Amino acid sequence: MMTAPKTPLLDRIAGPPDLKALTDRELRQLADELRSETIHAVSRTGGHLGAGLGVVELTVALHAVFDTPRDRLIWDVSHQCYPHKILTGRRRRMDSLRQKDGLSGFTKRTESPYDPFGAAHSSTSISAALGFAMGRELGAPGNGDAIAVIGDGALSGGMAYEALNHAGHLGKRLIVILNDNEMSIAPPVGAMSSYLSRLYAQGPFQELKAVAKGAVSFLPPPFQEGAKRAKEMLKGMAVGGTLFEELGFSYIGPLDGHDMDGLLGVLRAVKSRATGPILIHAITKKGKGFRHAESKADGGHATAKFDVVTGEQAKAPSNAPSYTKVFAESLLQEAEADDRIVAVTAAMPDGTGLNLFAERFPARCFDVGIAEQHGVTFCAGLAASGMKPFCTIYSTFLQRGYDQIVHDVALQGLPVRFAIDRAGLVGADGPTHAGSFDIAYLSNLPGFVVMAAADEAELRHMVATAAAHDEGPIAFRFPRGEGVGVEMPERGVPLEIGKGRMIHEGERVAILSFGARLAEIEVARERLMARGITPTVADARFAKPLDRDMILTLAANHEALITIEEGAVGGFGSHVAQLLSDEGVFDSGLRFRSMVLPDSFIDQAGPSQMYADAGLNAEDIERRVLDVLNVKVLERRA
C-alpha cells in the first residue's frame, strides 16, 4: 500500500469557498499539497497526469480569486482537471477515477456544479466561455465571469481562433488563460508554437512587456501615460501579444504559471478591473513537480497505475501485438515499396503509431497539430497532387473533420486512405473517446470503401488494400488494445474490394460479423454448439460496398441472419437490412436481427464491462441466437 502524502491544509478544504480564508502563503502550501495528492491519486488509478501537474498553481489561484461555480471555469480538453476535481468536493472519490460508476477523467456537467461545461476534445473552451459571457450580458441568472483555460496545443485548433475573433468583435468581459507548456500530447508544431516561443524568449523585457502589452489599464492613472509610451517604444523590439491585441484582446504576459504570488496578483487585478476580453499568457511545465513525468517527452501525459517512488508503470505483459503497432509496421512495409505513400496525424503521432513512420520517413510524415479539419483537406490536396496519403486519426477525433470528408474528399472522389484507430468502445476515457459513429457517417457517403479488421492479420491486409486502392476514398477501422493472437502474414495482401470471407459453415442461423467482435462470436459459437446449435459465421470485411452475393446466399440458406458490429445504429446492419429489403428477402420470412451499440452514451469502465453494458459480448450473442431461433433457455447445471 502506497503511503498517502501528508496534506494538513488540503484536509481542511471541502470546496473552493474554503480557499478564501487562506493567506497567500497558505495558498502556496496548498498548491504543494495538491500536487502531491494528485500524483498519489493517479498512481492508484492511472490517467492523465502531466497536464494536471502543470496547472496546480493556476487551479488554486483561480478558485481562490474567483467565485466558482457562479464564475464559470471552463477547462479546454479538461484532461488537466484532476486538481480541480480534488478542490471541488470530489477528493474522496478520486479512487474511482475513470472506472465504472466513478469520476470521469474529464469535466462533466452531470458530475458537479463546478463543471459548467463538459469537454474531452480540444479547442472548445473559448466558444463555450463566450456563450456563458453573453448569457450573463443578456440576463441569464446565476452567471458571473467566464474563464476559459486553453493550452498552446489546443490553440492550434481553428475553432479557438474563430472564438477569439468573435469575442474580440463583441468586446464583452471574457477571460482567456493561455496555459503555455510548449507541449500538447506531442510537441506542438507550426507557426503558433514558434510565435509563443518568441513571446517569452525576450528575457530582459518580460516585466516591461507585461506592463506594456495590455496591463496598462490596471496601473494607477499617473503611471498609465508612461506605460503607453513604453508600449510604443517596445513595438519594434519585441513581439508581445500583437496577434491577440489585433483580435481585440488585452494581452497580459508572459507570466510564470508556477509563481503563485504573480498569478494571484494578476487574477485579482483582472477580476476587479477588466472590462473587455482579456488574455493572460501563463508559462507552465507539464508534469511539474514529478521528475518521472518531467523527464518524459510528453510530460507524463497519460499513464497506467505507477509506483510514486520509481515511476514504474504497472502494465500487464502483452500476449499479442497491439493493433496500433501492427498498423504502423504494415504502413512502413507499404511505404518502403512506394515512395508516394505519406502519413498524416493530428497531434497524435505516438497514439497512432506514426512516430515509427516519422523516424523512418521524416519528410513523408506530417503532424498538423490539433486541426483535424485541416488535416483531412490537406490529405485531399496531397491525393489530388498524386500522392497516397494515409489520414491517421482516432474515430472520435475524425468526427471533427466530417464536413471536409464530405466536401473535400468524397465529393471529389479523391483517394484518401483513412486509418481509423480506437474504433468501438475504448474503456477508461469513456463516451467522449468512443469510436461509435464512423461506420455510419462514412458508409452513407457515395464512392467510399469502408472496411473493419476482425483481427490483427486482417488489419495488415487492409493496410495493403488501402495502399493499392486509387479509385476513391477508402477507410479501415481497428480497435484499441492488443490483437487476438492470430498467426501474422509476413506481408499484407490486397483484398478484393467488397468481398467477405466465410469462417464456419453451419445451419439454421448465420452470424455476419463486421469488425473485431469476431473473437466473441467464436466463443458464442462454441457455447451454442454445446446446445446442439451450429451457426454459420462469416466476416463481412466491408460495410461498403457490401458483399451482396455472400449476404444473399446466407439469407437464402438460413432461417435467421444476425449482423454484429462495434458501432451505432445506422451503420453496417442498416445497410444489410436495406439490401435485404430491396431484394425482397424479408417477403419470404427471413428473421433478421442487428446487434449494434445502444442508443446511449456508455460511461467509462473496462472495455469488457462496456461491451457487456452494450450487449455485445459472447453471452449476449448466444442469447440473441437462442431468441431468434425461439429456443427455450433452461437453467444450466452448476
Side-chain angles (χ1 to χ4, degrees):
M1 179 71 70
M2 296 179 189
T3 304
K6 295 187 182 301
T7 54
L9 264 180
L10 183 60
D11 294 344
R12 291 163 41 191
I13 305 300
D18 295 330
L19 273 65
K20 311 297 184 189
L22 301 182
T23 65
D24 289 3
R25 181 178 179 180
E26 288 174 320
L27 289 174
R28 290 194 298 273
Q29 179 184 334
L30 179 65
D32 292 338
E33 294 180 12
L34 181 58
R35 178 169 279 108
S36 297
E37 180 71 12
T38 300
I39 294 168
H40 180 65
V42 181
S43 73
R44 291 173 293 167
T45 63
H48 294 101
L49 178 64
L53 296 183
V55 297
V56 166
E57 286 81 8
L58 184 58
T59 302
V60 171
L62 284 167
H63 282 298
V65 171
F66 289 94
D67 300 316
T68 57
R70 184 178 183 276
D71 289 335
R72 311 295 189 163
L73 178 55
I74 300 168
W75 300 94
D76 205 284
V77 185
S78 78
H79 54 200
Q80 74 280 59
C81 71
Y82 300 174
H84 161 80
K85 292 194 179 220
I86 292 170
L87 287 182
T88 53
R90 288 169 274 185
R91 182 185 182 188
R92 295 187 185 280
R93 295 188 63 204
M94 290 300 287
D95 277 348
S96 72
L97 186 69
R98 291 161 46 91
Q99 299 172 33
K100 183 173 174 58
D101 300 323
L103 292 177
S104 169
F106 304 96
T107 51
K108 189 174 183 180
R109 280 175 54 83
T110 56
E111 189 176 287
S112 170
Y114 288 96
D115 293 357
F117 201 79
H121 289 190
S122 162
S123 314
T124 63
S125 62
I126 305 174
S127 297
L130 184 58
F132 278 110
M134 290 311 299
R136 176 197 68 221
E137 295 295 317
L138 295 169
N143 289 285
D145 272 317
I147 306 115
V149 183
I150 183 169
D152 56 303
L155 201 64
S156 67
M159 184 176 172
Y161 292 98
E162 295 173 15
L164 287 169
N165 182 59
H166 190 204
H169 168 71
L170 292 173
K172 303 300 182 182
R173 175 170 162 130
L174 172 73
I175 301 163
V176 175
I177 299 175
L178 173 56
N179 170 37
D180 181 4
N181 56 33
E182 295 188 278
M183 191 84 64
S184 49
I185 296 173
V189 295
M192 175 49 63
S193 178
S194 300
Y195 173 73
L196 294 177
S197 297
R198 290 198 303 274
L199 284 183
Y200 56 83
Q202 323 292 327
F205 297 111
Q206 281 196 17
E207 291 185 7
L208 188 52
K209 281 166 59 183
V211 172
K213 307 299 288 182
V216 173
S217 59
F218 304 133
L219 294 173
F223 296 95
Q224 288 187 17
E225 189 57 36
K228 288 177 182 176
R229 286 198 299 271
K231 177 177 178 178
E232 293 301 317
M233 178 184 70
L234 284 171
K235 274 187 176 179
M237 298 173 61
V239 177
T242 303
L243 169 64
F244 304 111
E245 290 190 334
E246 290 298 320
L247 288 169
F249 277 74
S250 294
Y251 171 88
I252 301 175
L255 309 173
D256 180 352
H258 301 296
D259 175 7
M260 182 66 76
D261 291 338
L263 286 173
L264 290 170
V266 168
L267 292 177
R268 286 165 179 158
V270 167
K271 181 175 175 59
S272 65
R273 302 181 187 178
T275 53
I278 300 283
L279 187 136
I280 301 169
H281 184 182
I283 309 302
T284 62
K285 184 175 181 61
K286 203 169 186 179
K288 172 74 172 178
F290 187 53
R291 62 185 177 85
H292 302 295
E294 289 186 23
S295 62
K296 292 185 177 180
D298 65 353
H301 170 70
T303 178
K305 298 177 184 179
F306 62 90
D307 185 288
V308 172
V309 176
T310 67
E312 184 176 345
Q313 297 187 34
K315 288 189 175 181
S318 298
N319 297 317
S322 72
Y323 282 97
T324 300
K325 185 175 181 181
V326 170
F327 159 70
E329 293 176 344
S330 301
L331 185 60
L332 277 173
Q333 285 183 330
E334 300 300 327
E336 285 166 356
D338 188 342
D339 60 11
R340 291 193 298 149
I341 289 177
V342 295
V344 176
T345 180
M348 296 294 289
D350 292 355
T352 59
L354 289 191
N355 55 327
L356 302 178
F357 193 99
E359 290 172 8
R360 177 69 178 84
F361 301 109
R364 291 158 59 187
C365 191
F366 303 92
D367 182 351
V368 300
I370 304 177
E372 291 84 2
Q373 293 173 303
H374 162 64
V376 170
T377 303
F378 175 56
C379 285
L382 284 165
S385 79
M387 300 301 288
K388 292 184 172 184
F390 276 75
C391 187
T392 308
I393 298 176
Y394 290 4
S395 171
T396 182
F397 298 144
L398 189 60
Q399 294 162 186
R400 296 160 63 93
Y402 188 61
D403 179 64
Q404 288 67 33
I405 295 171
V406 176
H407 181 270
D408 300 331
V409 177
L411 191 62
Q412 302 187 86
L414 290 169
V416 175
R417 289 90 174 154
F418 290 92
I420 305 173
D421 201 337
R422 285 3 183 227
L425 303 177
V426 297
D429 280 336
T432 57
H433 282 56
S436 306
F437 309 112
D438 59 274
I439 304 171
Y441 71 62
L442 294 179
S443 294
N444 63 10
L445 296 177
F448 241 94
V449 173
V450 181
M451 303 180 285
D455 55 49
E456 60 269 40
E458 283 290 291
L459 176 57
R460 178 153 289 177
H461 294 314
M462 288 180 181
V463 174
T465 306
H469 187 75
D470 277 321
E471 288 70 46
I474 187 169
F476 54 96
R477 72 190 316 252
F478 51 97
R480 180 181 185 177
E482 297 173 7
V484 296
V486 298
E487 185 177 347
M488 289 295 291
E490 187 173 324
R491 184 71 184 268
V493 177
L495 305 173
E496 183 179 353
I497 299 297
K499 292 297 177 184
R501 57 174 179 152
M502 293 296 298
I503 306 298
H504 301 291
E505 295 278 2
E507 57 185 13
R508 296 195 66 192
V509 61
I511 303 175
L512 181 57
S513 175
F514 181 68
R517 285 290 92 187
L518 184 61
E520 289 292 310
I521 293 170
E522 294 278 23
V523 175
R525 185 174 188 271
E526 292 294 324
R527 296 169 62 145
L528 288 163
M529 289 175 68
R531 295 178 179 273
I533 299 170
T534 306
T536 293
V537 175
D539 175 15
R541 282 177 165 163
F542 295 84
K544 192 169 190 180
L546 292 171
D547 188 338
R548 294 172 54 91
D549 292 342
M550 185 178 76
I551 293 169
L552 294 175
T553 299
L554 292 173
N557 295 335
H558 296 82
E559 301 171 34
L561 174 62
I562 299 173
T563 64
I564 299 177
E565 65 195 287
E566 297 174 321
V569 65
F572 171 68
S574 297
H575 283 258
V576 172
Q578 184 71 43
L579 169 64
L580 297 174
S581 175
D582 290 347
E583 295 295 323
V585 174
F586 294 130
D587 300 347
S588 57
L590 176 74
R591 280 172 271 170
F592 176 78
R593 302 290 186 273
S594 182
M595 297 183 71
V596 299
L597 295 178
D599 188 29
S600 61
F601 293 106
I602 301 175
D603 281 337
Q604 77 272 359
S608 181
Q609 179 61 57
M610 291 185 79
Y611 278 111
D613 293 343
L616 289 176
N617 281 338
E619 54 267 33
D620 305 301
I621 298 166
E622 178 190 18
R623 192 179 304 115
R624 183 60 63 93
V625 170
L626 295 173
D627 176 70
V628 77
L629 293 179
N630 295 319
V631 175
K632 187 175 181 180
V633 180
L634 299 175
E635 290 271 342
R636 287 184 175 181
R637 291 181 182 178

